[in-house]
DNA sequence: TCGGACTCTGACGTCAACGTCAGAGTATTG
DNA sequence: CAATACTCTGACGTTGACGTCAGAGTCCGA
């Protein structure tokens, strides 16, 4: 007789307890519960006894939250919007893939994706522009200083000759 | 007899009250007092009665604070460090310009500037790298969607023919 | 089946970055 | 020189994003 693992499709998807999950995402257990409280994530399972079990996808979502916090400086309210967009995109993808979705509807769905992604891109570009300006300023200073140093070098060369 | 304004060097530098200053920088009066309390800024003047007077340079400093908050996501403690660097750079520039500063000392000063600017650049580049990665992801999605849309268009063209 | 490790749900605490308000003083304008 | 607008210094309040702790329950390997 074959074992059940031989019959299982690809992998059994090992759900993690909150402790492992937290370490994996470099956040606290409290943070995970807090995010859940705000409706940002929901562990994809619970044990019969009520312990949270996180899937790899859940972890991705958590990592996403942290990125949005640290990179874009969004607060959890704004992040909720982004995650809602993510969910919407997933649903759209699903419907798009369905064989009984006609071309017209598909176009609609694609347009929606386009709009969402463009909005995201705009948000990022705004931050990016500010940062680049910032960086350019520093680079200017850097070049000026380098120029002066080079000048000093050449002058020293002349004098020592 | 000539008026005093005719004798004044270039401009009388119109110091602003805290209300104007706050509006000008798009922050609250409370924030200005708070920043001062933390030692981040000091209004360059006070009226005889004790009212704060802000110079244009002061405003620049405040705007800098806001930029560092919103663009780099620094907290006020970290911002203090940056502002200290700014002050140090100003002092260095001053000494550099002095006629009684020798070439060797000038090189030292320039090296110091270089180090400071490079550190700043590194900080910015870190954030920038993250953001660019982020942006690239979105751009990837965007391209995929555009590709699918184009495909849909061409197919529609064929069918209608 | 039992002991140690892990997790649960409240509930209160904390910290940064201000918001707000009172009561008193200051500047300005007609 | 009075009315009006602004500003001062405390001091307490608020908000977001968790930290921390207690008391109880759950899981798992020996």
């Amino acid at each position: 007789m074959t074992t059940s693992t031989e019959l299982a499709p690809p992998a059994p998807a090992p759900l993690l307890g909150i402790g492992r999950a937290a370490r994996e995402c470099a956040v606290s257990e409290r943070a995970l519960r807090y995010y859940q409280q705000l409706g940002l994530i929901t562990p994809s399972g619970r044990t019969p006894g009520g312990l949270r079990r996180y899937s790899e996808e859940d972890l991705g979502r958590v990592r996403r939250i942290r990125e949005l916090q640290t990179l874009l400086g969004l607060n959890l309210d704004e992040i909720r919007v982004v995650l809602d967009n993510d969910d919407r995109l997933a649903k759209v993808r699903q419907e798009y893939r369905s064989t009984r979705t006609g071309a017209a509807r598909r176009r609609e769905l694609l347009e929606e994706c386009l709009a969402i992604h463009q909005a995201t891109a705009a948000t990022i570009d705004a931050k990016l522009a500010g940062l680049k300006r910032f960086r350019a300023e520093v680079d200017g200073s850097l070049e000026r200083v380098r120029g002066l140093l080079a000048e000093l070098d050449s002058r020293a060369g002349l004098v020592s000759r």
Side-chain angles (χ1 to χ4, degrees), chain A:
Chain A
M1 187 187 178
T2 64
T3 70
S4 68
T5 60
E6 280 178 54
L7 296 173
L15 300 187
L16 303 182
I18 196 172
R20 276 297 303 275
R23 253 167 299 160
E24 214 75 22
C25 301
V27 303
S28 68
E29 305 181 9
R30 177 62 168 105
L32 290 182
R33 297 198 192 95
Y34 183 56
Y35 297 156
Q36 179 178 356
Q37 194 175 327
L38 296 190
L40 300 183
I41 51 168
T42 309
S44 20
R46 293 256 188 171
T47 66
L51 303 197
R52 281 164 251 254
R53 295 284 108 136
Y54 294 86
S55 72
E56 195 52 49
E57 197 186 329
D58 295 337
L59 301 194
R61 212 173 157 90
V62 174
R63 295 196 194 94
R64 188 93 208 272
I65 294 176
R66 301 297 294 170
E67 270 193 343
L68 291 168
Q69 280 185 318
T70 63
L71 286 181
L72 289 187
L74 303 184
N75 64 36
L76 296 181
D77 253 41
E78 297 163 330
I79 289 177
R80 189 206 317 281
V81 176
V82 177
L83 292 179
D84 284 353
N85 277 345
D86 285 358
D87 293 346
R88 177 63 193 152
L89 283 175
K91 262 188 205 157
V92 164
R93 221 183 325 270
Q94 181 122 32
E95 184 178 350
Y96 183 89
R97 288 209 224 287
S98 163
T99 54
R100 54 180 179 63
T101 301
R105 179 59 181 156
R106 282 202 169 143
R107 175 179 306 275
E108 259 182 46
L109 294 172
L110 287 177
E111 301 281 8
E112 189 179 345
C113 284
L114 202 61
I116 291 180
H117 285 314
Q118 279 171 345
T120 308
T123 307
I124 298 178
D125 284 347
K127 287 266 172 190
L128 216 44
L131 265 186
K132 280 182 178 168
R133 205 177 43 64
F134 221 131
R135 173 63 224 241
E137 274 175 36
V138 175
D139 219 48
S141 304
L142 224 35
E143 280 316 303
R144 270 188 25 249
V145 174
R146 287 218 181 88
L148 290 173
L149 264 175
E151 200 177 323
L152 213 61
D153 278 346
S154 67
R155 241 182 259 283
L158 286 176
V159 167
S160 76
R161 205 160 294 165

